[in-house]
Amino acid sequence: MEPTPKRRPGELVFNIAVMLASFGLLYSAYGISGFEALSAPGAVPMATTAIMAVCAIIILVQTLRKGTGGGQTVAADILPLIVIVTIAMIAAYAVLLRPLGFLPTSVLFLLVMIRFLSRRGWGFCLVVSVGTVFVIWIIFRLIFAVLMPQGIIPEGRIVSAITSLF
Amino acid sequence: MDILSNLLIPIVNLDLLMLIAVGTFAGIYVGAIPGLSVTMAVSILISFTFSWEVYPALALMIGIYMGGVYGGSRTAILLNIPGAPSAIATALDGFPMAQQGRAGEAIGIVTVVSFIGGFIGIFALGAFAPLLSDFAIGFQPRDFMLLAIMGILLVGSLSGDSLVKGIFAGALGIGVGAVGMDPLTIQDRFVFGISELRGGISFVAVMIGLFGVSEALIQLHSIHTPAVRQKITGIIPSWSKVRRHLPLGLQTSTIGTVVGALPGTGGDIAALMAYDHAKRVTRNPETPFGKGAIEGLVAPESANNAAVGGAFIPMLTLGIPGDAVTAIMIGALFIHGLNPGPMLMIEQPDMFWFIVSSLALANVFMLIFGLTGIRLFVRIVELPRTVLLPVIMVLSIVGAYAVNNSLTDVYWMLGFGVLGYFMRLYGYPLAPIILGVILSRLLDDNWRRAIISEREDFGAMMMGIFTSPLSLCLFLAVVMILVTNTPWWARRRARKA
């Protein structure tokens, strides 16, 4: 007989959250048009959220049946510091993208992340960060003409100066 | 003679030939960079090329399209991040192969089967376009609805250990796809009073979050383990290996062509259906599916490239886009004063045969660039992950932002990235979410059309399904997918084995 799979730390909490969110969405879907008609705008959302809710209950029951104690911890195996810092850094990047602009925010993000992850010297991190952002900028801004937030650097003027050379 | 002279237009014109080559080369890398979708690249190209002549503009777009569909497989294999939705299934076996140091082998076989699949799709476009479009035009809304359900239920075989988690993920995807204003009644759905949600959630942001950010977060767990040094020998697969997988490749190319020809579907659905087919027909793969089976690469990659030719069939014969890229190309044709539809083939057959010929050339360039540019590309995975992961995060953020120039999309990307991270940790499959988002509109619209046409009578709709051979086939396929993924079926098969 196969051993019962172990429940991972936080799995029960996550699945409870999933179930509650599913019921919340089902309630919201009901609010769209109720049981007005089969072709109503809320019909498919209600059906899908109902399926989500039923599945979530089944998944929760299956999770409860699993054995506990696999030797894992939340801090080491689910949400280690490195993951928390990275999520926070991406969020900070998104927040700073508009006020600072794409170029400084990206260099700053890469500089801090590469330093944090690799523990290499600041010089190495700075060269890699600036070089990478420069390449990305050339591809996206100059070749694909993708507009990124300008922020504190007068990017538009730089681009027009470059294009006026050709 | 006319056909031949039209077919020769891009071959004898060096400028057009160059544009197809440049487009294909660029497409491979656009497709490979997570977050840079082919759809996005082609839509940006329209703004560059609207002042061009129609042939050069189409030549460049066709090259990007063909190269991009193939290019998505590169990062799927090397980084487990599909560069495009059509490469989602490729990652399932491609990445395990790369982890085993077989990246060169994987990319080599993918390139060859993509070439074969691409040609089958192009041949079908040239030979059967009117016939297949007649078939597709006969689909009733209930057939499209069943097709969408079938696509979502395929998650059963893609969802690993738990069918329930797969169905949950698929339903979540449909829900995400429904966010925003209802296109028929302009009524808000899942908007919660947030005005930014009225336009819906960007599919690209969801995809980058689930496959880019969550993968990067998962890889942080093992960031200090040395990268697998990829063996890049044996890139060009032996003839015996190609021959061994050719029958499956031909089957899945046919699936890809037919699915690609169905309006509203595309390479992503074709690839998933082909992968499912491969799992069903391959009795004894050398390596199990999900752990590096070559059949798991042959099927989706031949199908998604075959779907390119297929997607042009309804576009050129009916004026209905086969997928998102052909939808944009219809816009490009309109800009150039052309009216894609049944009259296009009658009034301007040169355009039809020019497209067929350009696709064939792009396919040849794809094979050449695909087999020669691997060594450089494989070096990417040998870069230290402490550098590579932050760069992937920046590319993901840029990609999410660039689609709509919206920071909201970046927040959605992060939200789905974190959700995807936890879902991965707790055994939920992510591919069905994307599939659900893609099919949400198709399912919703056609359910409502089908039930309205039956005057809200569910019984009458079911009767319609049972009395139409096409609907019945689709319905039975749905039932079979469900039944064959139950534990009861697995036990039954185990007893028989």
Side-chain angles (χ1 to χ4, degrees), chain B residues 260-300:
Chain B
L262 297 175
T265 57
D268 28 26
I269 299 169
L272 291 164
M273 289 182 81
Y275 187 84
D276 183 70
H277 174 79
K279 276 182 80 173
R280 287 168 199 278
V281 299
T282 309
R283 287 274 172 210
N284 297 304
E286 279 177 31
T287 314
F289 278 91
K291 293 190 166 58
I294 289 187
E295 292 84 355
L297 293 176
V298 170

Side-chain angles (χ1 to χ4, degrees), chain A residues 8-11 14-15 18 22 25 28-29 31-33 37-45 48-49 51-53 55-56 58-59 62 66 76-80 82-83 86-87 90-91 93-95 97-98 102 106 109-110 113-114 117-118 124 128 132 136 139-140 143-149, chain B residues 30 33 36 40-41 44 48 162 164-165 167-168 171-172 174-175 178 182 185 187-190 192 213 217 220-221 223-224 384-387 389-391 393-395 397-399 401-402 405-407 410-411 413-414 418-419 421-426 428 440 443-444 447-448 451-452 456-458:
Chain A
R8 298 196 74 178
E11 192 173 352
F14 180 76
N15 286 328
V18 161
S22 301
L25 288 171
S28 173
I32 298 169
S33 51
L38 286 170
S39 64
V44 168
T48 48
T49 48
I51 290 169
M52 281 171 65
C55 288
I58 296 170
I59 293 165
Q62 287 173 345
K66 285 182 183 175
D77 301 287
I78 305 298
L79 261 183
I82 196 168
V83 172
T86 304
I87 292 170
I90 297 174
Y93 186 130
V95 169
L97 192 57
R98 202 178 289 283
F102 169 70
S106 302
F109 174 81
L110 283 176
M113 282 305 293
I114 294 171
L117 295 175
S118 71
F124 169 85
V128 172
T132 306
I136 292 174
I139 293 171
F140 281 82
I143 298 175
F144 286 108
V146 173
L147 288 173
M148 297 299 292
Chain B
V30 165
I33 297 170
L36 252 188
M40 188 186 106
I44 291 168
F48 287 134
S162 170
V164 182
K165 284 179 178 173
I167 292 174
F168 174 86
L172 175 64
I174 299 170
D182 171 37
T185 62
Q187 193 166 341
D188 286 346
R189 301 196 291 189
F190 299 128
F192 309 108
V213 176
L217 293 176
L220 286 172
H221 286 259
I223 194 152
H224 296 298
R385 277 195 286 179
T386 49
V387 174
L389 286 181
V391 174
M393 288 167 201
V394 170
L395 284 174
I397 291 167
V398 172
Y401 180 85
N405 286 340
S406 163
L407 271 178
V410 179
Y411 294 125
M413 178 210 73
L414 180 59
V418 173
L419 177 69
Y421 169 76
F422 283 109
M423 289 180 85
R424 276 174 195 258
L425 286 178
Y426 297 129
Y428 288 81
S440 180
L443 175 69
D444 195 5
W447 157 257
R448 289 159 80 177
I451 202 73
I452 287 169
E456 301 276 337
D457 186 343
F458 185 74

Side-chain angles (χ1 to χ4, degrees), chain A residues 44, chain B residues 141 144-145 148 152 173-179 181-185 189 264 434-449:
Chain A
V44 168
Chain B
F144 280 115
M145 181 194 78
I152 291 160
I174 299 170
V176 172
V179 172
M181 283 193 295
D182 171 37
L184 295 182
T185 62
R189 301 196 291 189
I434 296 295
L435 195 64
V437 178
I438 293 169
L439 293 177
S440 180
R441 183 77 189 273
L442 188 75
L443 175 69
D444 195 5
D445 287 358
N446 286 291
W447 157 257
R448 289 159 80 177
R449 282 194 195 119

Side-chain angles (χ1 to χ4, degrees), chain B residues 61-403:
Chain B
M61 283 187 222
I62 284 170
I64 293 255
Y65 185 16
M66 186 58 97
V69 170
Y70 159 75
S73 66
R74 292 277 181 98
T75 36
I77 292 167
L78 297 173
L79 301 171
N80 202 18
I81 302 169
S86 58
I88 289 168
T90 310
L92 299 175
D93 285 282
F95 187 59
M97 279 185 81
Q99 285 179 312
Q100 294 155 22
R102 295 161 64 202
E105 183 190 347
I107 292 175
I109 192 78
V110 156
T111 308
V112 173
V113 296
S114 294
F115 173 75
I116 294 169
F119 257 114
I120 289 171
I122 295 161
F123 175 77
L125 171 65
F128 305 115
L131 195 70
L132 281 174
S133 58
D134 281 351
F135 179 69
I137 205 171
F139 267 49
Q140 300 288 317
R142 63 168 179 262
D143 300 322
F144 280 115
M145 181 194 78
L146 287 167
L147 193 73
I149 293 171
M150 202 170 91
I152 291 160
L153 283 178
L154 285 175
V155 298
S157 55
L158 289 170
S159 58
D161 299 332
S162 170
L163 174 68
V164 182
K165 284 179 178 173
I167 292 174
F168 174 86
L172 175 64
I174 299 170
V176 172
V179 172
M181 283 193 295
D182 171 37
L184 295 182
T185 62
I186 321 294
Q187 193 166 341
D188 286 346
R189 301 196 291 189
F190 299 128
V191 168
F192 309 108
I194 303 165
S195 59
E196 283 89 352
L197 281 177
R198 290 220 162 91
I201 298 174
S202 162
F203 158 66
V204 177
V206 178
M207 197 188 89
I208 296 174
L210 288 177
F211 288 100
V213 176
S214 78
E215 176 64 32
L217 293 176
I218 288 285
Q219 291 205 14
L220 286 172
H221 286 259
S222 55
I223 194 152
H224 296 298
T225 38
V228 177
R229 292 197 71 81
Q230 301 296 331
K231 287 178 195 166
I232 49 171
T233 51
I235 295 165
I236 298 174
S238 64
W239 170 240
S240 61
K241 186 185 282 181
V242 174
R243 201 175 53 189
R244 192 164 66 241
H245 298 294
L246 196 59
L248 176 66
L250 293 176
Q251 290 169 34
T252 48
S253 296
T254 310
I255 291 173
T257 307
V258 174
V259 173
L262 297 175
T265 57
D268 28 26
I269 299 169
L272 291 164
M273 289 182 81
Y275 187 84
D276 183 70
H277 174 79
K279 276 182 80 173
R280 287 168 199 278
V281 299
T282 309
R283 287 274 172 210
N284 297 304
E286 279 177 31
T287 314
F289 278 91
K291 293 190 166 58
I294 289 187
E295 292 84 355
L297 293 176
V298 170
E301 283 302 313
S302 54
N304 63 22
N305 275 75
V308 173
F312 276 92
I313 294 172
M315 174 201 161
L316 291 173
T317 56
L318 303 169
I320 301 169
D323 62 0
V325 181
T326 44
I328 293 166
M329 281 196 181
I330 285 183
L333 289 176
F334 276 126
I335 288 171
H336 288 96
L338 297 164
N339 194 5
M343 293 308 287
L344 183 79
M345 286 183 77
I346 297 164
E347 291 170 353
Q348 285 181 292
D350 59 306
M351 189 56 60
F352 176 78
W353 293 112
F354 169 79
I355 289 173
V356 171
S357 182
S358 300
L359 280 167
L361 285 171
N363 204 36
V364 172
F365 285 124
M366 183 202 77
L367 182 73
I368 296 167
F369 296 140
L371 289 177
T372 52
I374 296 175
R375 285 169 193 273
L376 176 71
F377 205 93
V378 168
R379 292 277 174 258
I380 290 173
V381 282
E382 292 178 1
L383 286 170
R385 277 195 286 179
T386 49
V387 174
L388 192 61
L389 286 181
V391 174
I392 288 172
M393 288 167 201
V394 170
L395 284 174
S396 299
I397 291 167
V398 172
Y401 180 85
V403 181

